Amino acid sequence: MTAEVEASRLTATVAELTGDRFAGRRVGTPGGRAAGRWLAGQLRAIGASVTTDEFPVADVRELYRTPEFSWHAGLTPRRGVHRRDFAEHLVSADLPAPRTGELVVADSDEWLDKWVLAPDLGVAARAQTEGATGLLVPRGTDAEGWMPKMIAGPPVGALPVIAVRTGLHDEMARAGSGTVTASMPLRTVQVIGSNVHGVLREPAAGSPGVLLTAHFDGVGDDPERRLPAAADNASGVAAVLEAARLLTVLLPDHMGLAVSLLDGEEAGARGSAHHAPGVRPGTYVINVDGAAQLGDGAAVEAGGPAHDLLAALDQAGRETGVPLRAGAMPSDNRRYASAGLPAIGIGMGMPGYQTPAETADRVDTGTLVAAARLVVATVLRLAIHSRGSTV
């Protein structure tokens, strides 16, 4: 390479995207829209012609206040900490104000106006029929004791449903009694997402183009807690921007190059679903989702007619010293592959995934550099294959 990856630029991009003003970058929020505008400026700064396109995103779950949860089985109520002891369940109905009811276990005969401690959602129909106040179901935590946040899932049900940390759920089951007071101010909103596209050069006649993609949205802050979304996916965005900057210098003129920074991935990959059908057939798509902690290697998933792309990636991994392994990458790459495009998804770790612990200081600079170098080397290998000469 005649140009080098700039580690300081990569870390600065992650720091910017995880800042307070973007508030977790959830699709359809002021913070998400502000992040998109900032990224458009970054693409223009490297010479891209920038456009945006908007699309509707339905059924996004939104906490509009911090929920409450306490269990009173003795002299002093046990007050739960949101995301530590309990969290919203995506099927939960909105419960704006705290509601108190007796706690019963699932094999109790009387459920009317009771909080039912259940092993799963299999009792939801009975709970609704018998007038239960709501359901309490178990949920595990990550290794650091957090319950990760999600904003899209199955349809909302008729009753409040609260996910309770498994250990606490077990303790409540052993006690088998008490009272529960809880709220779950969780609504479903319809929002507008906006992808940011930058074209750096169009391909010459008969030559292929490459599209680099990464989603910039996160799950968004809670009402009283930051969720910075550093690994997922400020890190991937940083790697793609840096790779694009280098490729404007290194890539042969015949090869097309574009970047799409996608919105709405956390709400069901809506941005890529909107964009993929309109991408020029044959375009090679490289998607990076997570570039924060390489570990034992980069996870790679291929889809569509991706033989040449995989071959180029394999060579690039050898050249850059980045170990590659097959691994599921359920991200935007799948939308492009479903549209018949050769697409790969690359992931290099997400420490603190979708929790308050997903902070910029946990994004490893060496992994950011490795991701950018891997993408650049892959695209240059594709250029060699397409022209049959050296670059």
Side-chain angles (χ1 to χ4, degrees):
M1 291 186 185
T2 57
E4 290 297 329
V5 172
E6 292 187 16
S8 61
R9 189 189 301 266
L10 286 159
T11 56
T13 298
V14 173
E16 185 70 29
L17 286 172
T18 56
D20 291 349
R21 68 182 176 122
F22 297 145
R25 309 187 308 278
R26 201 209 77 196
V27 61
T29 61
R33 289 189 290 271
R37 290 192 295 271
W38 183 80
L39 289 167
Q42 299 306 295
L43 286 171
R44 292 189 184 98
I46 62 173
S49 173
V50 177
T51 59
T52 60
D53 67 309
E54 295 185 340
F55 54 93
V57 183
D59 301 326
V60 175
R61 308 299 195 271
E62 179 179 79
L63 280 172
Y64 56 93
R65 282 196 301 275
T66 301
E68 301 176 37
F69 179 83
S70 64
W71 171 46
H72 193 169
L75 296 177
T76 305
R78 293 272 301 276
R79 298 191 183 279
V81 177
H82 183 228
R83 298 222 178 282
R84 289 292 195 182
D85 298 309
F86 75 102
E88 62 278 9
H89 195 293
L90 292 175
V91 305
S92 181
D94 185 18
L95 182 61
R99 186 177 297 170
T100 299
E102 182 184 345
L103 174 71
V104 296
V105 294
D107 59 1
S108 299
D109 294 330
E110 177 59 55
W111 287 12
L112 179 64
D113 296 331
K114 308 290 197 301
W115 283 101
V116 180
L117 195 71
D120 52 44
L121 295 177
V123 301
R126 178 189 166 189
Q128 181 181 353
T129 300
E130 296 192 15
T133 295
L135 295 177
L136 308 173
V137 297
R139 181 179 171 187
T141 64
D142 69 7
E144 297 171 325
W146 293 104
M147 294 181 178
K149 181 177 182 178
M150 295 176 285
I151 61 171
V156 173
L159 288 175
V161 180
I162 296 175
V164 178
R165 176 173 51 81
T166 300
L168 177 57
H169 193 276
D170 291 345
E171 185 179 346
M172 296 171 76
R174 288 192 295 271
S177 63
T179 59
V180 168
T181 300
S183 68
M184 188 48 64
L186 181 68
R187 60 192 171 199
T188 300
V189 296
Q190 325 301 317
V191 300
I192 300 297
S194 181
N195 295 326
V196 182
H197 307 294
V199 177
L200 290 149
R201 66 172 63 139
E202 297 287 353
S207 294
V210 174
L211 175 66
L212 307 181
T213 65
H215 76 88
F216 69 88
D217 64 302
V219 292
D221 288 352
D222 283 342
E224 297 179 85
R225 197 189 295 272
R226 292 294 329 279
L227 281 85
D232 182 25
N233 186 35
S235 64
V237 170
V240 161
L241 283 173
E242 182 66 6
R245 184 183 71 85
L246 290 173
L247 286 167
T248 59
V249 177
L250 299 172
L251 196 63
D253 291 341
H254 73 280
M255 196 87 166
L257 179 64
V259 175
S260 288
L261 303 176
L262 302 164
D263 203 359
E265 194 271 350
E266 303 295 356
R270 305 293 183 86
S272 51
H274 173 74
H275 181 236
V279 176
R280 179 187 176 192
T283 299
Y284 295 109
V285 181
I286 301 174
N287 182 69
V288 181
D289 196 351
Q293 194 173 86
L294 180 58
D296 61 357
V300 176
E301 178 180 304
H307 176 79
D308 291 344
L309 185 52
L310 270 176
L313 177 65
D314 180 65
Q315 288 181 299
R318 297 172 189 275
E319 291 171 6
T320 59
V322 177
L324 307 176
R325 58 181 175 81
M329 283 297 299
S331 185
D332 292 302
N333 45 284
R334 293 185 177 179
R335 296 292 195 177
Y336 293 102
S338 294
L341 299 164
I344 56 172
I346 302 171
M348 296 188 181
M350 296 179 179
Y353 176 68
Q354 294 184 347
T355 74
E358 194 186 338
T359 51
D361 62 301
R362 301 189 68 188
V363 175
D364 175 60
T365 302
T367 300
L368 287 171
V369 170
R373 288 175 56 84
L374 180 66
V375 171
V376 170
T378 301
V379 176
L380 293 180
R381 278 288 151 191
L382 285 171
I384 292 172
H385 175 78
S386 68
R387 182 53 67 89
S389 62
T390 59
V391 177

